[in-house]
Amino acid sequence: MKKLNPSFIPKFQNELEKLPIFAPSFFKKEDKMNHHYSIDACEFYQQMLPEGFNKTKVWGFAGFCKDEKNKKIKYVKHSPGPTFEVDRNIDTNIQWNNKILGEYMFKIDKTLVWANPNNIVYNNNLDNDSKEGQWPPTLIMHVHGISTPPIYDGNPRAWYTATGIKGPVYSTNYYKYTNEQRGAMLWYYDQSPGVSRYSVYSGLCGLYFIKDEKYNLPKDEYHIPLIIQDKSFYEDGSLFYDNENVDSNHPYWKEKFFGDIILVNGKVWPSLNVKNQLYRFNILNGSNSRPYKIALSDNSKMIQIGSDGGYIDKPQELSYFSLYPGERIDLLIDFSRYNENNKIIMKNLFSSDECKDIMEFNVISISKKIEYNLPKILTKYPPMKINTKKKSTILLKREKGDYRDGYFINNETYLNPPNIITKVGSTFIWEFINLCDDDICIHIHLTNFQILERQKINKLKCKKMYDENKELSCRDEIYEGAVILPELYEEGFKDTLYCPPSFITRIIIRYAPTYIMEEVNVGENYFSFNTSNGPEYIINSQILEQKDNYLVRPQIIFSEE
């Protein structure tokens, strides 16, 4: 089967659709309202390419959703999955059902740390792609950016299959989220070990909104969340993933994957009809590896109002912004400056091929403009007073010895005992020293942080120092320049951190909820739950190919309870 040439696909023929919204059932427990969902991970066919092309076999999520046209409730399957809209401080209970009965669409690499539900013994036979390796698929759900007990955080070793096989730390697939944190757009996805790149690429992801609306901002038809992804297809419409015979140590793994076709909300190069009004777009980079530098084709300004962790302190104008995998932005675009039938393209300035275009906005009508009173101050940040000594974490690619060609945090595999240990209430500077030749995006579970600065380093000197001493002290001789402040669009609270190669990236992190506005003390638990109750949290690269090849480490957060 031939790969589909992206130049054969007409752009902006697909009509962009808002993702469906899950509808909860309601019940009271101890006089507190709870929202309950039963969500199925499943396999089905969906029209991703424009009409005239075949439908695509995908994985995605299904459940009861609101029908915006007739206001009825119906069972909906979609890839990426429908959106959760939950209210802050209202408990949300989700039963994540694994109903994927088909095989993985792409070959399992048994040289990686993967779930291996059938306990296959790998024998170095590259042709040994048995049914036992491809089936049954595993599932373990993580809501990226959520503050929740570790038992509900989606530990990679807590996977389970549709056939009843369970991972070593599995306890439940019924997750309880209290949603006590600041309002923000989070996202959910399967993070099964060794195959998360396949799971998300196949469609096992979606959006999770914690709503805490206090401002008069665009809503309903004028508020449109966007999931941007890149994929490739065969001519028959099926998904293509280039992973074979690219690495001598890992036969079905590659360092990064870049598709040659852009999708938004599961539609290839879509067009959105807009009115001459102010629109709000919450945007997620849901790609495996591809970063996006986003601008409008006429170079007009956009207004940022939020980041990964919710509102930034005040609105700010941007001509462009970058999103690396897992990062989000909350954005306003004013279409009142345009005339009817004007077309504006959302561009990716990191690409010069077909992927330079993301989607099109088509101004279809002119009417009286809706006025909004955008506040000068959106939120206040809590004090971040350092009370714990600095941490330094090294990111490297191992080129010799065991587990070659993998990416590592502190040169440790995921299965090694935890050594990233923190007490609740700790506030400290954390340095990430990227000694790889590649970008790395670190996702820290449980809490948010703020980016302080980056600084260029001499990678060869650092590697030599590390090889000789098995540690790296940040001395003046390794620096190759002054500190660089974060980009304007990196304002606010983050949960995903872009770490460029040959740089130290420094953050300040506080292990307490961001809504706590007073100073915090080491060892004092400001979360409403015990952070030690369950398997460990993790930190990982959000570039999923890296994540699947060892760039994951356990993180223990001690709670004095």
Side-chain angles (χ1 to χ4, degrees):
M1 178 64 64
K2 288 184 178 180
K3 186 169 172 284
L4 179 61
N5 188 329
S7 65
F8 294 168
I9 304 172
K11 290 184 178 179
F12 316 133
Q13 298 299 304
N14 266 332
E15 182 179 344
L16 181 82
E17 298 175 351
K18 290 183 73 171
L19 292 165
I21 299 172
F22 283 125
S25 55
F26 303 89
F27 65 93
K28 274 192 172 182
K29 184 177 181 181
E30 298 175 355
D31 295 325
K32 185 176 181 180
M33 184 63 70
N34 287 250
H35 293 183
H36 173 78
Y37 301 84
S38 181
I39 307 301
D40 300 333
C42 49
E43 181 180 284
F44 49 94
Y45 284 81
Q46 181 172 300
Q47 191 72 51
M48 291 184 154
L49 293 158
E51 291 295 331
F53 291 85
N54 291 336
K55 290 185 176 182
T56 301
K57 183 169 75 171
V58 295
W59 290 357
F61 290 94
F64 288 103
C65 295
K66 308 171 188 176
D67 189 321
E68 297 300 325
K69 295 179 180 178
N70 57 27
K71 306 304 179 185
K72 292 184 178 180
I73 304 297
K74 63 179 181 179
Y75 187 80
V76 173
K77 299 177 181 179
H78 203 274
S79 175
T83 298
F84 293 94
E85 288 188 353
V86 305
D87 294 318
R88 187 182 179 192
N89 293 319
I90 299 295
D91 288 355
T92 298
N93 306 314
I94 304 176
Q95 183 167 317
W96 299 104
N97 304 309
N98 186 350
K99 294 191 176 181
I100 301 175
L101 298 176
E103 298 178 2
Y104 283 102
M105 298 184 212
F106 315 104
K107 292 182 178 179
I108 298 298
D109 194 318
K110 305 181 187 75
T111 66
L112 306 179
V113 174
W114 63 298
N116 195 8
N118 295 314
N119 295 316
I120 301 169
V121 177
Y122 181 67
N123 61 8
N124 290 317
N125 180 4
L126 299 188
D127 296 324
N128 183 23
D129 293 303
S130 64
K131 292 285 185 181
E132 296 143 321
Q134 297 300 120
W135 185 87
T138 60
L139 186 75
I140 180 63
M141 296 306 301
H142 170 59
V143 177
H144 180 123
I146 199 80
S147 291
T148 193
I151 193 173
Y152 306 131
D153 194 53
N155 186 283
R157 295 182 297 135
W159 52 264
Y160 50 100
T161 72
T163 60
I165 307 172
K166 298 178 175 63
V169 300
Y170 174 87
S171 59
T172 182
N173 69 334
Y174 188 71
Y175 282 21
K176 301 177 183 180
Y177 308 107
T178 58
N179 304 309
E180 296 167 326
Q181 62 207 81
R182 294 180 182 227
M185 186 183 83
L186 316 179
W187 67 297
Y188 63 90
Y189 51 89
D190 170 50
Q191 63 172 9
S192 292
V195 294
S196 60
R197 68 197 186 284
Y198 293 164
S199 298
V200 173
Y201 186 73
S202 301
L204 293 184
C205 63
L207 299 177
Y208 186 101
F209 272 96
I210 298 178
K211 295 165 56 180
D212 184 21
E213 292 304 330
K214 34 178 122 166
Y215 304 120
N216 180 26
L217 292 168
K219 59 183 179 180
D220 300 327
E221 67 173 301
Y222 303 110
H223 180 204
I224 303 176
L226 306 175
I227 300 179
I228 302 175
Q229 297 173 301
D230 60 333
K231 299 184 190 296
S232 295
F233 295 84
Y234 287 105
E235 289 183 342
D236 68 352
S238 58
L239 289 172
F240 171 90
Y241 184 98
D242 181 17
N243 70 335
E244 293 196 22
N245 302 318
V246 292
D247 185 287
S248 59
N249 296 302
H250 308 294
Y252 304 116
W253 172 86
K254 63 188 304 182
E255 297 175 351
K256 290 185 178 180
F257 172 83
F258 292 92
D260 50 20
I261 296 167
I262 301 297
L263 294 85
V264 184
N265 292 357
K267 293 286 188 180
V268 168
W269 282 309
S271 179
L272 175 67
N273 291 332
V274 296
K275 299 177 182 177
N276 64 319
Q277 303 291 348
L278 186 69
Y279 279 71
R280 182 180 183 183
F281 297 96
N282 286 86
I283 305 175
L284 161 70
N285 179 351
S287 293
N288 282 25
S289 299
R290 181 184 291 276
Y292 299 88
K293 184 177 182 180
I294 294 176
L296 300 178
S297 55
D298 64 347
N299 297 316
S300 57
K301 301 280 189 180
M302 302 165 281
I303 301 173
Q304 182 187 10
I305 60 173
S307 187
D308 298 352
Y311 289 124
I312 56 177
D313 63 342
K314 58 185 178 182
Q316 58 186 7
E317 286 192 335
L318 302 174
S319 297
Y320 66 87
F321 58 90
S322 296
L323 288 179
Y324 283 79
E327 290 189 303
R328 287 93 68 207
I329 194 168
D330 194 347
L331 200 69
L332 302 176
I333 300 179
D334 189 357
F335 293 102
S336 67
R337 63 173 75 98
Y338 301 106
N339 298 320
E340 191 172 1
N341 297 321
N342 281 174
K343 298 181 186 297
I344 308 94
I345 297 175
M346 180 183 284
K347 309 288 287 186
N348 177 20
L349 303 183
F350 280 150
S351 294
S352 57
D353 55 12
E354 295 290 348
C355 292
K356 65 182 181 296
D357 297 326
I358 297 175
M359 63 174 291
E360 176 190 72
F361 301 105
N362 178 31
V363 182
I364 59 169
S365 64
I366 304 297
S367 58
K368 184 178 179 180
K369 184 180 179 181
I370 302 171
E371 296 296 333
Y372 297 95
N373 184 20
L374 189 61
K376 294 182 179 179
I377 301 296
L378 292 165
T379 191
K380 291 184 178 180
Y381 296 145
M384 302 281 275
K385 185 176 180 180
I386 294 171
N387 59 23
T388 306
K389 68 179 183 179
K390 178 179 68 178
K391 287 187 190 296
S392 293
T393 293
I394 296 171
L395 310 170
L396 54 85
K397 184 180 179 184
R398 192 181 292 176
E399 298 172 351
K400 57 185 178 179
D402 294 336
Y403 306 107
R404 293 191 304 277
D405 296 330
Y407 291 82
F408 296 86
I409 296 173
N410 289 335
N411 207 23
E412 300 271 4
T413 70
Y414 170 55
L415 298 177
N416 287 352
N419 57 9
I420 302 174
I421 300 171
T422 308
K423 286 186 177 181
V424 288
S426 298
T427 307
F428 55 92
I429 292 174
W430 199 341
E431 296 180 328
F432 290 90
I433 307 167
N434 187 356
L435 302 184
C436 303
D437 294 328
D438 300 310
D439 295 331
I440 290 177
C441 298
I442 290 292
H443 170 43
I444 301 175
H445 293 225
L446 178 63
T447 194
N448 288 174
F449 54 82
Q450 291 175 319
I451 303 174
L452 294 178
E453 61 193 23
R454 296 182 176 94
Q455 191 165 11
K456 188 82 164 59
I457 56 174
N458 186 309
K459 184 171 60 178
L460 294 178
K461 286 184 179 179
C462 290
K463 283 187 173 181
K464 181 179 179 182
M465 185 185 301
Y466 183 80
D467 289 341
E468 291 174 351
N469 304 316
K470 302 307 177 186
E471 62 180 8
L472 179 59
S473 58
C474 293
R475 302 191 294 236
D476 289 344
E477 65 205 67
I478 72 169
Y479 299 127
E480 292 193 335
V483 298
I484 301 171
L485 295 179
E487 298 286 351
L488 188 63
Y489 49 79
E490 294 181 306
E491 286 281 328
F493 278 104
K494 301 276 293 170
D495 55 43
T496 307
L497 177 67
Y498 168 52
C499 299
S502 301
F503 272 84
I504 293 177
T505 303
R506 298 184 179 97
I507 64 173
I508 184 167
I509 189 166
R510 189 182 76 156
Y511 281 84
T514 58
Y515 62 80
I516 301 292
M517 296 306 295
E518 62 268 14
E519 292 183 10
V520 299
N521 301 312
V522 178
E524 190 169 345
N525 188 10
Y526 298 85
F527 297 102
S528 64
F529 50 84
N530 187 341
T531 61
S532 305
N533 184 21
E536 68 277 354
Y537 296 98
I538 63 172
I539 69 169
N540 59 268
S541 177
Q542 205 53 48
I543 295 175
L544 297 180
E545 280 68 25
Q546 296 174 355
K547 180 180 182 180
D548 280 349
N549 197 355
Y550 306 111
L551 220 161
V552 182
R553 283 294 290 149
Q555 177 189 202
I556 293 178
I557 314 299
F558 276 125
S559 180
E560 302 293 325
E561 293 184 14

